[in-house]
Amino acid sequence: MERTLERLLASAALVPRGEPVSLGGGDIAEVRRLVTDQGAVVIKRDDPARLAGEADGLRALRQADTPLIVPEVLAEGDGWLVMEALERGRAGNDAARLGEGLRALHADTGDAHGWPHDNACGRTPQPNAPLVDGRAFQRERRLLPLAEACQQRGLMDDALRRRLEAIAHGLEAWLPDAPASLVHGDLWSGNVLFTPKGPAIIDPAVYRHYPEVDLAMLTLFGAPGEAFFEAYWNGRAPADWPRREALFQLYPLLNHLLLFGAGYRGAVERAVARLEAA
């Protein structure tokens, strides 16, 4: 075991019982599980700034008044993050409990869209300098920076960038401004765990913005199910949800295009076409 990790564990009064075991699914960071004298922990190794952002996000999610389970940060530093390990297992009515938990999370609102610190979504730096208007935040902190980055890497042509810019500059014409909800920020299905105590959320990229950010990410690569939406909307689904879904899927799709290459360009183009047709 590396000396820096040993020192970090000692600072948290954790005594290892064996060596860390690699866990699958870590596309961005190295992730391991370690048994200690105080139970199992999860260890991540990554860029220190990215880990600091994740730790900050986990603490913010734990401080929110929700029934969702969020792993406790036990130690962080020197390129390592040590967290509570969560037990996997099904609990009754998981989908509805996830919907209720997210509704409670999104009820935690603030005055401005953004976050006090920049963080990252995957390997992509995520600028969070606050703006009072949510439409401006989506345009200036999300869509336009990623469109520019994708074009600079040759992943987007001028025509597609112009279409994206037209959407970004036209948000005020249809999207009402709204209070800024606390959002997980990267809530694809792999970042939702079902434990015997209920649904848990991990690997956040938190900020405050429209709550549909998290819903659109959940539906991007799967479907949380009708029970989830019934519990989440609680009879108050917005009439323009399909349009909002397409809008808030653009940012993660652009990020996937940037991170993983041209295979995601078609998905970006389809989301743009959905918004143009709305």
Side-chain angles (χ1 to χ4, degrees):
M1 192 180 302
E2 296 190 28
R3 293 277 181 87
T4 54
L5 177 58
E6 289 180 340
R7 288 195 295 267
L8 188 64
L9 292 168
S11 73
L14 294 170
V15 179
R17 302 297 191 207
E19 290 293 318
V21 177
S22 180
L23 295 174
D27 292 332
I28 305 299
E30 177 186 341
V31 185
R32 307 177 191 173
R33 187 178 187 274
L34 174 68
V35 177
T36 77
D37 63 330
Q38 298 185 46
V41 299
V42 170
I43 300 166
K44 292 186 75 169
R45 185 176 190 178
D46 196 8
D47 173 78
R50 284 199 292 267
L51 290 179
E54 180 177 347
D56 175 57
L58 289 169
R59 293 185 184 106
L61 293 174
R62 280 180 64 87
Q63 289 168 6
D65 184 18
T66 85
L68 295 172
I69 295 167
V70 180
E72 180 182 1
V73 174
L74 302 174
E76 179 242 324
D78 296 320
W80 299 94
L81 175 61
V82 182
M83 300 166 285
E84 169 192 11
L86 300 180
E87 181 184 354
R88 294 176 183 261
R90 306 300 295 187
N93 206 16
D94 281 332
R97 293 174 73 182
L98 177 61
E100 292 165 357
L102 270 187
R103 176 155 49 86
L105 177 66
H106 296 158
D108 185 329
T109 59
D111 295 330
H113 296 252
W115 196 245
H117 319 287
D118 292 347
N119 46 34
C121 192
R123 287 190 299 268
T124 304
Q126 184 165 262
N128 291 322
L131 290 169
V132 173
D133 191 300
R135 287 82 56 96
F137 183 88
Q138 179 65 200
R139 176 170 52 251
E140 303 299 332
R141 305 287 189 260
R142 294 294 179 262
L143 297 182
L144 296 186
L146 275 194
E148 179 180 4
C150 287
Q151 188 180 42
Q152 287 179 348
R153 295 193 187 179
L155 297 166
M156 179 182 297
D157 59 24
D158 289 340
L160 181 55
R161 183 172 177 182
R162 285 194 298 269
R163 292 167 68 194
L164 270 162
E165 289 175 342
I167 289 168
H169 288 290
L171 293 179
E172 284 82 355
W174 67 272
L175 183 65
D177 197 13
S181 293
L182 180 61
V183 297
H184 176 284
D186 191 18
L187 198 62
W188 69 290
S189 59
N191 286 342
V192 176
L193 300 181
F194 294 106
T195 80
K197 296 180 180 179
I201 51 178
I202 62 172
D203 293 348
V206 301
Y207 54 104
R208 293 189 182 276
H209 199 30
Y210 288 87
E212 289 88 356
V213 163
D214 285 340
L215 305 186
M217 190 65 181
L218 272 177
T219 62
L220 184 56
F221 300 115
E226 191 61 33
F228 166 83
F229 281 106
E230 287 179 0
Y232 180 84
W233 294 127
N234 196 27
R236 299 183 180 89
D240 64 352
W241 158 240
R243 193 174 190 180
R244 293 182 185 223
E245 180 185 42
L247 171 65
F248 293 116
Q249 285 180 350
L250 262 182
Y251 173 62
L253 285 172
L254 287 167
N255 193 29
H256 277 68
L257 177 60
L258 187 66
L259 289 173
F260 304 117
Y264 282 94
R265 187 164 51 232
V268 172
E269 291 172 343
R270 288 190 292 274
V272 168
R274 283 178 65 194
L275 285 161
E276 290 171 335

